[in-house]
Amino acid sequence: MTSLASYLSAAGAIAKRDFLLFASYRTRLVTTLFTTAVSLTLFYYVSRLVNSKSIGSPDDYYAFVVVGLTILGVLTSTLSAPVATLRAELQTGTFERLVVSPFGAVRAIASLLIFPLALATVVGILSLCFAGVVFGLHVHWSTAPLAIPVAVLGAIAFAPLGLVMASAVVVFKQTNAGAAFVITGFSLLAGVYFPVHLLPAWIRWASDVQPFTPAVDLLRNLLVATPLRESAGLELAKLAGFAVVLTPVALLLLQAAVRRSRRRGTIIEY
């Protein structure tokens, strides 16, 4: 228990450090929220052009895409932000502290996911409030609180991909293009911008073999009452299954990447 408390304290310290670094750029939160507001505004006016049997009225499409964008921000926070933070650690030479600390490189890298996830969750909640107040998005507040644990479960299921990307950074020192490619691919396959059933038949299967699709489906149902593609129990089971199966694999890959870089003497090089 003492070791567990020490590990949790160390993980919390890394998250606190990331928060302080973020807050030290005083306009960063403002620009983040402004960029999000611009995106929500853009899609509101795009939605005025949409009237489809697949989705419904323009308001239905706006609810569809706003929730999709919000979820995209929360889930991909576990992919792109930790990779960028790790590269910054390597560039500035501060990664050495994490490598030689008792906490260890693997736990330290995994802890880099905490603050981006928390920030994305806060921005997501503010985004829904903005869309509701300014553009009349109807959020089902009676079930909305359930979206928080589902979003966390989705992020945990998606986090192993971030750890795999971090492993590539440790070994190859560069994966920016790879992270962008993965995020773009998942956003299309999971139906962030349009329903999955509109995808060509030859690629539609890919939407069912990754954690983003059930997360998007469940959260849309909880937030704006979009019908589920499958039962809630089955989609929750998928998310839990992805988390349970992929997390140990990703941690083993990260451990192997750290061990290989140590053996080659390149672990703190950039």
Side-chain angles (χ1 to χ4, degrees):
M1 291 298 294
T2 302
S3 297
L4 177 61
S6 299
Y7 291 151
L8 292 176
S9 176
I14 291 176
K16 180 181 178 181
R17 181 209 61 175
D18 291 344
F19 165 73
L20 293 174
L21 286 173
F22 179 87
S24 67
Y25 297 90
R26 299 187 179 182
T27 62
R28 196 168 177 183
L29 179 60
V30 175
T31 56
T32 299
L33 295 176
F34 178 76
T35 302
T36 302
V38 169
S39 179
L40 295 176
T41 302
L42 172 64
F43 274 100
Y44 173 77
Y45 289 105
V46 170
S47 71
R48 301 303 94 183
L49 305 174
V50 177
N51 198 338
S52 168
K53 293 180 180 179
S54 299
I55 297 178
S57 68
D59 288 338
D60 292 331
Y61 178 70
Y62 187 61
F64 181 92
V65 76
V66 164
V67 176
L69 290 172
T70 301
I71 298 163
L72 179 67
V74 172
L75 298 187
T76 57
S77 67
T78 62
L79 178 59
S80 58
V83 169
T85 303
L86 178 56
R87 290 189 67 245
E89 297 276 356
L90 290 168
Q91 283 179 304
T92 57
T94 54
F95 185 58
E96 182 178 0
R97 300 177 185 175
L98 302 179
V99 172
V100 301
S101 71
F103 193 45
V106 173
R107 297 186 189 93
I109 293 172
S111 299
L112 296 177
L113 278 68
I114 298 173
F115 173 69
L117 176 58
L119 176 63
T121 301
V122 172
V123 171
I125 293 171
L126 293 176
S127 298
L128 292 174
C129 293
F130 174 83
V133 172
V134 177
F135 297 116
L137 175 69
H138 179 63
V139 178
H140 284 245
W141 295 111
S142 60
T143 56
L146 295 175
I148 296 177
V150 172
V152 171
L153 177 60
I156 293 172
F158 204 63
L161 297 175
L163 295 177
V164 171
M165 287 291 176
S167 302
V169 172
V170 171
V171 175
F172 303 110
K173 316 303 179 185
Q174 182 67 260
T175 61
N176 276 356
F181 177 79
V182 170
I183 291 171
T184 302
F186 276 114
S187 67
L188 295 175
L189 292 174
V192 169
Y193 307 105
F194 52 82
V196 170
H197 69 262
L198 296 179
L199 289 169
W202 60 268
I203 194 64
R204 198 177 304 151
W205 63 271
S207 66
D208 296 321
V209 294
Q210 40 83 15
F212 209 161
T213 303
V216 170
D217 201 28
L218 283 167
L219 289 169
R220 275 202 181 110
N221 178 260
L222 292 171
L223 292 170
V224 294
T226 302
L228 291 169
R229 295 173 61 238
E230 299 174 321
S231 69
L234 178 58
E235 298 203 328
L236 284 171
K238 284 183 178 181
L239 284 179
F242 280 120
V244 170
V245 173
L246 296 180
T247 300
V249 174
L251 288 172
L252 286 174
L253 285 175
L254 180 57
Q255 188 175 38
V258 169
R259 187 164 52 245
R260 181 174 184 269
S261 295
R262 276 178 167 158
R263 187 169 60 249
R264 296 177 62 193
T266 61
I267 190 168
I268 59 174
E269 290 183 358
Y270 173 71

mmCIF file of all heavy atoms in Angstrom, residues 173-219:
data_model
loop_
_atom_site.group_PDB
_atom_site.id
_atom_site.type_symbol
_atom_site.label_atom_id
_atom_site.label_comp_id
_atom_site.label_asym_id
_atom_site.label_seq_id
_atom_site.Cartn_x
_atom_site.Cartn_y
_atom_site.Cartn_z
ATOM 1 N N LYS A 173 12.327 8.777 -31.834
ATOM 2 C CA LYS A 173 12.356 10.213 -31.512
ATOM 3 C C LYS A 173 11.417 11.060 -32.368
ATOM 4 O O LYS A 173 11.445 12.277 -32.248
ATOM 5 C CB LYS A 173 13.778 10.791 -31.648
ATOM 6 C CG LYS A 173 14.878 9.919 -31.057
ATOM 7 C CD LYS A 173 14.644 9.608 -29.592
ATOM 8 C CE LYS A 173 15.745 8.717 -29.032
ATOM 9 N NZ LYS A 173 15.489 8.303 -27.639
ATOM 10 N N GLN A 174 10.574 10.462 -33.172
ATOM 11 C CA GLN A 174 9.714 11.250 -34.060
ATOM 12 C C GLN A 174 8.508 10.411 -34.504
ATOM 13 O O GLN A 174 8.689 9.366 -35.122
ATOM 14 C CB GLN A 174 10.497 11.686 -35.290
ATOM 15 C CG GLN A 174 9.720 12.551 -36.270
ATOM 16 C CD GLN A 174 9.378 13.912 -35.703
ATOM 17 O OE1 GLN A 174 8.266 14.140 -35.264
ATOM 18 N NE2 GLN A 174 10.344 14.811 -35.699
ATOM 19 N N THR A 175 7.283 10.880 -34.197
ATOM 20 C CA THR A 175 6.084 10.178 -34.678
ATOM 21 C C THR A 175 4.934 11.142 -34.941
ATOM 22 O O THR A 175 3.774 10.749 -34.930
ATOM 23 C CB THR A 175 5.589 9.137 -33.643
ATOM 24 O OG1 THR A 175 5.240 9.812 -32.435
ATOM 25 C CG2 THR A 175 6.605 8.075 -33.376
ATOM 26 N N ASN A 176 5.216 12.405 -35.188
ATOM 27 C CA ASN A 176 4.141 13.388 -35.379
ATOM 28 C C ASN A 176 3.188 13.004 -36.492
ATOM 29 O O ASN A 176 1.969 13.073 -36.359
ATOM 30 C CB ASN A 176 4.744 14.767 -35.673
ATOM 31 C CG ASN A 176 5.107 15.481 -34.387
ATOM 32 O OD1 ASN A 176 4.847 14.986 -33.302
ATOM 33 N ND2 ASN A 176 5.725 16.637 -34.517
ATOM 34 N N ALA A 177 3.733 12.629 -37.644
ATOM 35 C CA ALA A 177 2.893 12.264 -38.783
ATOM 36 C C ALA A 177 2.053 11.034 -38.464
ATOM 37 O O ALA A 177 0.886 10.946 -38.849
ATOM 38 C CB ALA A 177 3.760 12.019 -40.013
ATOM 39 N N GLY A 178 2.648 10.086 -37.738
ATOM 40 C CA GLY A 178 1.914 8.873 -37.381
ATOM 41 C C GLY A 178 0.730 9.161 -36.486
ATOM 42 O O GLY A 178 -0.362 8.625 -36.694
ATOM 43 N N ALA A 179 0.904 10.033 -35.499
ATOM 44 C CA ALA A 179 -0.190 10.377 -34.598
ATOM 45 C C ALA A 179 -1.316 11.074 -35.355
ATOM 46 O O ALA A 179 -2.499 10.771 -35.154
ATOM 47 C CB ALA A 179 0.320 11.269 -33.467
ATOM 48 N N ALA A 180 -0.967 12.002 -36.248
ATOM 49 C CA ALA A 180 -1.984 12.705 -37.028
ATOM 50 C C ALA A 180 -2.740 11.736 -37.925
ATOM 51 O O ALA A 180 -3.968 11.842 -38.081
ATOM 52 C CB ALA A 180 -1.324 13.804 -37.863
ATOM 53 N N PHE A 181 -2.029 10.787 -38.518
ATOM 54 C CA PHE A 181 -2.666 9.802 -39.385
ATOM 55 C C PHE A 181 -3.647 8.937 -38.607
ATOM 56 O O PHE A 181 -4.769 8.677 -39.066
ATOM 57 C CB PHE A 181 -1.595 8.929 -40.038
ATOM 58 C CG PHE A 181 -2.146 7.828 -40.905
ATOM 59 C CD1 PHE A 181 -2.591 8.109 -42.188
ATOM 60 C CD2 PHE A 181 -2.224 6.525 -40.437
ATOM 61 C CE1 PHE A 181 -3.110 7.093 -42.990
ATOM 62 C CE2 PHE A 181 -2.741 5.508 -41.230
ATOM 63 C CZ PHE A 181 -3.183 5.798 -42.513
ATOM 64 N N VAL A 182 -3.245 8.493 -37.427
ATOM 65 C CA VAL A 182 -4.119 7.647 -36.606
ATOM 66 C C VAL A 182 -5.370 8.413 -36.182
ATOM 67 O O VAL A 182 -6.491 7.890 -36.246
ATOM 68 C CB VAL A 182 -3.350 7.125 -35.369
ATOM 69 C CG1 VAL A 182 -4.305 6.441 -34.387
ATOM 70 C CG2 VAL A 182 -2.259 6.154 -35.799
ATOM 71 N N ILE A 183 -5.210 9.654 -35.749
ATOM 72 C CA ILE A 183 -6.353 10.459 -35.313
ATOM 73 C C ILE A 183 -7.327 10.682 -36.466
ATOM 74 O O ILE A 183 -8.549 10.532 -36.312
ATOM 75 C CB ILE A 183 -5.873 11.808 -34.750
ATOM 76 C CG1 ILE A 183 -5.138 11.593 -33.429
ATOM 77 C CG2 ILE A 183 -7.050 12.755 -34.538
ATOM 78 C CD1 ILE A 183 -4.446 12.825 -32.899
ATOM 79 N N THR A 184 -6.799 11.014 -37.639
ATOM 80 C CA THR A 184 -7.659 11.227 -38.802
ATOM 81 C C THR A 184 -8.402 9.951 -39.172
ATOM 82 O O THR A 184 -9.606 9.973 -39.447
ATOM 83 C CB THR A 184 -6.825 11.702 -40.003
ATOM 84 O OG1 THR A 184 -6.144 12.909 -39.661
ATOM 85 C CG2 THR A 184 -7.702 11.947 -41.211
ATOM 86 N N GLY A 185 -7.684 8.841 -39.172
ATOM 87 C CA GLY A 185 -8.310 7.572 -39.514
ATOM 88 C C GLY A 185 -9.427 7.197 -38.559
ATOM 89 O O GLY A 185 -10.530 6.812 -38.984
ATOM 90 N N PHE A 186 -9.181 7.338 -37.267
ATOM 91 C CA PHE A 186 -10.206 6.985 -36.289
ATOM 92 C C PHE A 186 -11.403 7.923 -36.377
ATOM 93 O O PHE A 186 -12.547 7.498 -36.204
ATOM 94 C CB PHE A 186 -9.622 6.999 -34.879
ATOM 95 C CG PHE A 186 -8.933 5.725 -34.502
ATOM 96 C CD1 PHE A 186 -7.567 5.699 -34.279
ATOM 97 C CD2 PHE A 186 -9.654 4.557 -34.365
ATOM 98 C CE1 PHE A 186 -6.922 4.522 -33.939
ATOM 99 C CE2 PHE A 186 -9.019 3.367 -34.023
ATOM 100 C CZ PHE A 186 -7.657 3.350 -33.812
ATOM 101 N N SER A 187 -11.164 9.207 -36.625
ATOM 102 C CA SER A 187 -12.281 10.147 -36.706
ATOM 103 C C SER A 187 -13.210 9.806 -37.860
ATOM 104 O O SER A 187 -14.429 9.997 -37.768
ATOM 105 C CB SER A 187 -11.749 11.577 -36.852
ATOM 106 O OG SER A 187 -11.100 11.751 -38.098
ATOM 107 N N LEU A 188 -12.654 9.292 -38.957
ATOM 108 C CA LEU A 188 -13.483 8.901 -40.101
ATOM 109 C C LEU A 188 -14.172 7.563 -39.860
ATOM 110 O O LEU A 188 -15.360 7.406 -40.147
ATOM 111 C CB LEU A 188 -12.623 8.830 -41.363
ATOM 112 C CG LEU A 188 -12.027 10.157 -41.849
ATOM 113 C CD1 LEU A 188 -11.109 9.924 -43.032
ATOM 114 C CD2 LEU A 188 -13.129 11.144 -42.210
ATOM 115 N N LEU A 189 -13.439 6.606 -39.322
ATOM 116 C CA LEU A 189 -13.993 5.265 -39.132
ATOM 117 C C LEU A 189 -15.029 5.204 -38.016
ATOM 118 O O LEU A 189 -15.925 4.356 -38.036
ATOM 119 C CB LEU A 189 -12.862 4.273 -38.834
ATOM 120 C CG LEU A 189 -11.898 3.991 -39.988
ATOM 121 C CD1 LEU A 189 -10.750 3.122 -39.499
ATOM 122 C CD2 LEU A 189 -12.620 3.322 -41.145
ATOM 123 N N ALA A 190 -14.911 6.093 -37.018
ATOM 124 C CA ALA A 190 -15.820 6.048 -35.873
ATOM 125 C C ALA A 190 -17.074 6.883 -36.072
ATOM 126 O O ALA A 190 -17.945 6.907 -35.216
ATOM 127 C CB ALA A 190 -15.092 6.501 -34.609
ATOM 128 N N GLY A 191 -17.165 7.592 -37.203
ATOM 129 C CA GLY A 191 -18.365 8.375 -37.460
ATOM 130 C C GLY A 191 -18.434 9.668 -36.686
ATOM 131 O O GLY A 191 -19.505 10.031 -36.191
ATOM 132 N N VAL A 192 -17.327 10.374 -36.571
ATOM 133 C CA VAL A 192 -17.346 11.671 -35.896
ATOM 134 C C VAL A 192 -18.155 12.688 -36.698
ATOM 135 O O VAL A 192 -18.928 13.467 -36.150
ATOM 136 C CB VAL A 192 -15.908 12.188 -35.675
ATOM 137 C CG1 VAL A 192 -15.908 13.642 -35.213
ATOM 138 C CG2 VAL A 192 -15.200 11.323 -34.642
ATOM 139 N N TYR A 193 -17.991 12.658 -38.027
ATOM 140 C CA TYR A 193 -18.618 13.660 -38.883
ATOM 141 C C TYR A 193 -19.842 13.149 -39.644
ATOM 142 O O TYR A 193 -20.631 13.940 -40.151
ATOM 143 C CB TYR A 193 -17.598 14.188 -39.896
ATOM 144 C CG TYR A 193 -16.324 14.675 -39.260
ATOM 145 C CD1 TYR A 193 -15.154 13.929 -39.325
ATOM 146 C CD2 TYR A 193 -16.291 15.883 -38.561
ATOM 147 C CE1 TYR A 193 -13.975 14.377 -38.729
ATOM 148 C CE2 TYR A 193 -15.131 16.329 -37.963
ATOM 149 C CZ TYR A 193 -13.974 15.569 -38.054
ATOM 150 O OH TYR A 193 -12.818 16.013 -37.456
ATOM 151 N N PHE A 194 -19.984 11.843 -39.731
ATOM 152 C CA PHE A 194 -21.110 11.259 -40.465
ATOM 153 C C PHE A 194 -21.351 9.845 -39.914
ATOM 154 O O PHE A 194 -20.447 9.239 -39.322
ATOM 155 C CB PHE A 194 -20.819 11.203 -41.966
ATOM 156 C CG PHE A 194 -19.509 10.538 -42.306
ATOM 157 C CD1 PHE A 194 -19.400 9.159 -42.377
ATOM 158 C CD2 PHE A 194 -18.373 11.296 -42.534
ATOM 159 C CE1 PHE A 194 -18.199 8.545 -42.680
ATOM 160 C CE2 PHE A 194 -17.159 10.698 -42.835
ATOM 161 C CZ PHE A 194 -17.078 9.311 -42.910
ATOM 162 N N PRO A 195 -22.557 9.312 -40.102
ATOM 163 C CA PRO A 195 -22.861 7.967 -39.586
ATOM 164 C C PRO A 195 -21.972 6.893 -40.210
ATOM 165 O O PRO A 195 -21.618 6.968 -41.393
ATOM 166 C CB PRO A 195 -24.332 7.757 -39.977
ATOM 167 C CG PRO A 195 -24.883 9.126 -40.155
ATOM 168 C CD PRO A 195 -23.748 9.962 -40.689
ATOM 169 N N VAL A 196 -21.635 5.893 -39.422
ATOM 170 C CA VAL A 196 -20.744 4.823 -39.875
ATOM 171 C C VAL A 196 -21.347 4.058 -41.047
ATOM 172 O O VAL A 196 -20.617 3.597 -41.941
ATOM 173 C CB VAL A 196 -20.439 3.880 -38.698
ATOM 174 C CG1 VAL A 196 -19.721 2.623 -39.175
ATOM 175 C CG2 VAL A 196 -19.604 4.592 -37.643
ATOM 176 N N HIS A 197 -22.675 3.922 -41.087
ATOM 177 C CA HIS A 197 -23.284 3.098 -42.140
ATOM 178 C C HIS A 197 -23.136 3.717 -43.530
ATOM 179 O O HIS A 197 -23.417 3.065 -44.537
ATOM 180 C CB HIS A 197 -24.763 2.831 -41.838
ATOM 181 C CG HIS A 197 -25.640 4.039 -41.946
ATOM 182 N ND1 HIS A 197 -26.024 4.776 -40.839
ATOM 183 C CD2 HIS A 197 -26.206 4.643 -43.019
ATOM 184 C CE1 HIS A 197 -26.790 5.774 -41.242
ATOM 185 N NE2 HIS A 197 -26.913 5.722 -42.544
ATOM 186 N N LEU A 198 -22.668 4.965 -43.609
ATOM 187 C CA LEU A 198 -22.421 5.587 -44.911
ATOM 188 C C LEU A 198 -21.070 5.188 -45.493
ATOM 189 O O LEU A 198 -20.804 5.456 -46.670
ATOM 190 C CB LEU A 198 -22.493 7.110 -44.793
ATOM 191 C CG LEU A 198 -23.852 7.706 -44.394
ATOM 192 C CD1 LEU A 198 -23.755 9.223 -44.300
ATOM 193 C CD2 LEU A 198 -24.934 7.307 -45.390
ATOM 194 N N LEU A 199 -20.223 4.559 -44.698
ATOM 195 C CA LEU A 199 -18.922 4.122 -45.193
ATOM 196 C C LEU A 199 -19.096 3.018 -46.237
ATOM 197 O O LEU A 199 -20.061 2.243 -46.177
ATOM 198 C CB LEU A 199 -18.064 3.589 -44.044
ATOM 199 C CG LEU A 199 -17.523 4.610 -43.045
ATOM 200 C CD1 LEU A 199 -16.929 3.891 -41.844
ATOM 201 C CD2 LEU A 199 -16.472 5.504 -43.702
ATOM 202 N N PRO A 200 -18.163 2.908 -47.191
ATOM 203 C CA PRO A 200 -18.223 1.788 -48.141
ATOM 204 C C PRO A 200 -18.160 0.454 -47.403
ATOM 205 O O PRO A 200 -17.510 0.330 -46.357
ATOM 206 C CB PRO A 200 -16.976 1.995 -49.015
ATOM 207 C CG PRO A 200 -16.622 3.431 -48.848
ATOM 208 C CD PRO A 200 -17.048 3.822 -47.457
ATOM 209 N N ALA A 201 -18.808 -0.544 -47.948
ATOM 210 C CA ALA A 201 -18.890 -1.853 -47.288
ATOM 211 C C ALA A 201 -17.512 -2.468 -47.051
ATOM 212 O O ALA A 201 -17.296 -3.153 -46.042
ATOM 213 C CB ALA A 201 -19.755 -2.796 -48.121
ATOM 214 N N TRP A 202 -16.571 -2.208 -47.964
ATOM 215 C CA TRP A 202 -15.265 -2.867 -47.847
ATOM 216 C C TRP A 202 -14.437 -2.339 -46.682
ATOM 217 O O TRP A 202 -13.482 -2.993 -46.251
ATOM 218 C CB TRP A 202 -14.480 -2.714 -49.156
ATOM 219 C CG TRP A 202 -14.200 -1.297 -49.553
ATOM 220 C CD1 TRP A 202 -14.962 -0.505 -50.348
ATOM 221 C CD2 TRP A 202 -13.067 -0.500 -49.163
ATOM 222 N NE1 TRP A 202 -14.397 0.744 -50.490
ATOM 223 C CE2 TRP A 202 -13.233 0.777 -49.781
ATOM 224 C CE3 TRP A 202 -11.945 -0.732 -48.370
ATOM 225 C CZ2 TRP A 202 -12.302 1.801 -49.611
ATOM 226 C CZ3 TRP A 202 -11.031 0.298 -48.205
ATOM 227 C CH2 TRP A 202 -11.205 1.540 -48.822
ATOM 228 N N ILE A 203 -14.780 -1.141 -46.147
ATOM 229 C CA ILE A 203 -14.014 -0.585 -45.031
ATOM 230 C C ILE A 203 -14.841 -0.480 -43.763
ATOM 231 O O ILE A 203 -14.308 -0.232 -42.676
ATOM 232 C CB ILE A 203 -13.457 0.806 -45.429
ATOM 233 C CG1 ILE A 203 -12.379 1.289 -44.447
ATOM 234 C CG2 ILE A 203 -14.588 1.834 -45.504
ATOM 235 C CD1 ILE A 203 -11.144 0.445 -44.399
ATOM 236 N N ARG A 204 -16.135 -0.729 -43.846
ATOM 237 C CA ARG A 204 -17.015 -0.529 -42.699
ATOM 238 C C ARG A 204 -16.641 -1.427 -41.517
ATOM 239 O O ARG A 204 -16.844 -1.065 -40.365
ATOM 240 C CB ARG A 204 -18.466 -0.786 -43.118
ATOM 241 C CG ARG A 204 -19.510 -0.200 -42.177
ATOM 242 C CD ARG A 204 -20.911 -0.449 -42.728
ATOM 243 N NE ARG A 204 -21.030 0.083 -44.076
ATOM 244 C CZ ARG A 204 -21.843 -0.417 -45.003
ATOM 245 N NH1 ARG A 204 -22.581 -1.471 -44.731
ATOM 246 N NH2 ARG A 204 -21.903 0.138 -46.202
ATOM 247 N N TRP A 205 -16.085 -2.598 -41.808
ATOM 248 C CA TRP A 205 -15.712 -3.516 -40.733
ATOM 249 C C TRP A 205 -14.696 -2.890 -39.774
ATOM 250 O O TRP A 205 -14.667 -3.214 -38.586
ATOM 251 C CB TRP A 205 -15.107 -4.799 -41.318
ATOM 252 C CG TRP A 205 -13.837 -4.560 -42.076
ATOM 253 C CD1 TRP A 205 -13.706 -4.271 -43.395
ATOM 254 C CD2 TRP A 205 -12.507 -4.536 -41.533
ATOM 255 N NE1 TRP A 205 -12.379 -4.078 -43.731
ATOM 256 C CE2 TRP A 205 -11.620 -4.236 -42.610
ATOM 257 C CE3 TRP A 205 -11.983 -4.748 -40.273
ATOM 258 C CZ2 TRP A 205 -10.254 -4.144 -42.442
ATOM 259 C CZ3 TRP A 205 -10.609 -4.650 -40.088
ATOM 260 C CH2 TRP A 205 -9.757 -4.361 -41.167
ATOM 261 N N ALA A 206 -13.877 -1.962 -40.303
ATOM 262 C CA ALA A 206 -12.828 -1.371 -39.474
ATOM 263 C C ALA A 206 -13.394 -0.529 -38.336
ATOM 264 O O ALA A 206 -12.720 -0.314 -37.318
ATOM 265 C CB ALA A 206 -11.892 -0.524 -40.335
ATOM 266 N N SER A 207 -14.626 -0.056 -38.489
ATOM 267 C CA SER A 207 -15.232 0.739 -37.423
ATOM 268 C C SER A 207 -15.586 -0.107 -36.208
ATOM 269 O O SER A 207 -15.796 0.428 -35.118
ATOM 270 C CB SER A 207 -16.489 1.456 -37.938
ATOM 271 O OG SER A 207 -17.494 0.512 -38.254
ATOM 272 N N ASP A 208 -15.647 -1.428 -36.396
ATOM 273 C CA ASP A 208 -16.044 -2.317 -35.296
ATOM 274 C C ASP A 208 -14.865 -2.946 -34.573
ATOM 275 O O ASP A 208 -15.067 -3.684 -33.606
ATOM 276 C CB ASP A 208 -16.950 -3.433 -35.831
ATOM 277 C CG ASP A 208 -18.260 -2.903 -36.387
ATOM 278 O OD1 ASP A 208 -18.816 -1.962 -35.780
ATOM 279 O OD2 ASP A 208 -18.720 -3.420 -37.418
ATOM 280 N N VAL A 209 -13.641 -2.679 -35.026
ATOM 281 C CA VAL A 209 -12.483 -3.348 -34.424
ATOM 282 C C VAL A 209 -11.559 -2.355 -33.738
ATOM 283 O O VAL A 209 -10.363 -2.593 -33.622
ATOM 284 C CB VAL A 209 -11.708 -4.165 -35.479
ATOM 285 C CG1 VAL A 209 -12.547 -5.316 -35.992
ATOM 286 C CG2 VAL A 209 -11.250 -3.279 -36.643
ATOM 287 N N GLN A 210 -12.111 -1.228 -33.292
ATOM 288 C CA GLN A 210 -11.332 -0.247 -32.536
ATOM 289 C C GLN A 210 -12.264 0.418 -31.508
ATOM 290 O O GLN A 210 -13.491 0.379 -31.657
ATOM 291 C CB GLN A 210 -10.667 0.766 -33.466
ATOM 292 C CG GLN A 210 -11.501 1.240 -34.642
ATOM 293 C CD GLN A 210 -12.447 2.360 -34.289
ATOM 294 O OE1 GLN A 210 -12.314 2.990 -33.257
ATOM 295 N NE2 GLN A 210 -13.415 2.604 -35.133
ATOM 296 N N PRO A 211 -11.693 0.976 -30.448
ATOM 297 C CA PRO A 211 -12.509 1.448 -29.320
ATOM 298 C C PRO A 211 -13.232 2.766 -29.538
ATOM 299 O O PRO A 211 -14.127 3.110 -28.750
ATOM 300 C CB PRO A 211 -11.480 1.591 -28.193
ATOM 301 C CG PRO A 211 -10.179 1.846 -28.892
ATOM 302 C CD PRO A 211 -10.247 1.058 -30.157
ATOM 303 N N PHE A 212 -12.868 3.510 -30.572
ATOM 304 C CA PHE A 212 -13.451 4.825 -30.761
ATOM 305 C C PHE A 212 -14.953 4.744 -31.078
ATOM 306 O O PHE A 212 -15.760 5.529 -30.581
ATOM 307 C CB PHE A 212 -12.716 5.540 -31.901
ATOM 308 C CG PHE A 212 -12.703 7.034 -31.762
ATOM 309 C CD1 PHE A 212 -11.774 7.801 -32.451
ATOM 310 C CD2 PHE A 212 -13.603 7.690 -30.938
ATOM 311 C CE1 PHE A 212 -11.750 9.183 -32.338
ATOM 312 C CE2 PHE A 212 -13.584 9.076 -30.799
ATOM 313 C CZ PHE A 212 -12.664 9.811 -31.508
ATOM 314 N N THR A 213 -15.345 3.780 -31.926
ATOM 315 C CA THR A 213 -16.735 3.688 -32.369
ATOM 316 C C THR A 213 -17.717 3.459 -31.218
ATOM 317 O O THR A 213 -18.695 4.203 -31.091
ATOM 318 C CB THR A 213 -16.883 2.592 -33.433
ATOM 319 O OG1 THR A 213 -16.008 2.871 -34.527
ATOM 320 C CG2 THR A 213 -18.313 2.533 -33.954
ATOM 321 N N PRO A 214 -17.518 2.455 -30.349
ATOM 322 C CA PRO A 214 -18.464 2.292 -29.245
ATOM 323 C C PRO A 214 -18.462 3.469 -28.278
ATOM 324 O O PRO A 214 -19.501 3.807 -27.707
ATOM 325 C CB PRO A 214 -18.009 0.992 -28.563
ATOM 326 C CG PRO A 214 -16.606 0.778 -29.006
ATOM 327 C CD PRO A 214 -16.525 1.364 -30.374
ATOM 328 N N ALA A 215 -17.307 4.112 -28.095
ATOM 329 C CA ALA A 215 -17.253 5.278 -27.205
ATOM 330 C C ALA A 215 -18.093 6.422 -27.766
ATOM 331 O O ALA A 215 -18.884 7.049 -27.041
ATOM 332 C CB ALA A 215 -15.804 5.724 -27.016
ATOM 333 N N VAL A 216 -17.934 6.705 -29.056
ATOM 334 C CA VAL A 216 -18.708 7.765 -29.695
ATOM 335 C C VAL A 216 -20.196 7.446 -29.638
ATOM 336 O O VAL A 216 -21.037 8.304 -29.332
ATOM 337 C CB VAL A 216 -18.245 7.960 -31.154
ATOM 338 C CG1 VAL A 216 -19.199 8.874 -31.906
ATOM 339 C CG2 VAL A 216 -16.837 8.533 -31.195
ATOM 340 N N ASP A 217 -20.536 6.201 -29.928
ATOM 341 C CA ASP A 217 -21.941 5.789 -29.957
ATOM 342 C C ASP A 217 -22.592 5.939 -28.589
ATOM 343 O O ASP A 217 -23.694 6.488 -28.449
ATOM 344 C CB ASP A 217 -22.016 4.332 -30.429
ATOM 345 C CG ASP A 217 -23.382 3.974 -30.985
ATOM 346 O OD1 ASP A 217 -24.071 4.873 -31.490
ATOM 347 O OD2 ASP A 217 -23.764 2.796 -30.907
ATOM 348 N N LEU A 218 -21.928 5.465 -27.546
ATOM 349 C CA LEU A 218 -22.477 5.546 -26.192
ATOM 350 C C LEU A 218 -22.623 6.990 -25.718
ATOM 351 O O LEU A 218 -23.653 7.375 -25.150
ATOM 352 C CB LEU A 218 -21.582 4.775 -25.218
ATOM 353 C CG LEU A 218 -21.709 3.255 -25.227
ATOM 354 C CD1 LEU A 218 -20.558 2.628 -24.454
ATOM 355 C CD2 LEU A 218 -23.040 2.821 -24.623
ATOM 356 N N LEU A 219 -21.610 7.791 -25.967
ATOM 357 C CA LEU A 219 -21.647 9.165 -25.472
ATOM 358 C C LEU A 219 -22.671 10.010 -26.226
ATOM 359 O O LEU A 219 -23.315 10.876 -25.632
ATOM 360 C CB LEU A 219 -20.252 9.779 -25.569
ATOM 361 C CG LEU A 219 -19.268 9.193 -24.554
ATOM 362 C CD1 LEU A 219 -17.845 9.618 -24.860
ATOM 363 C CD2 LEU A 219 -19.629 9.613 -23.145
#
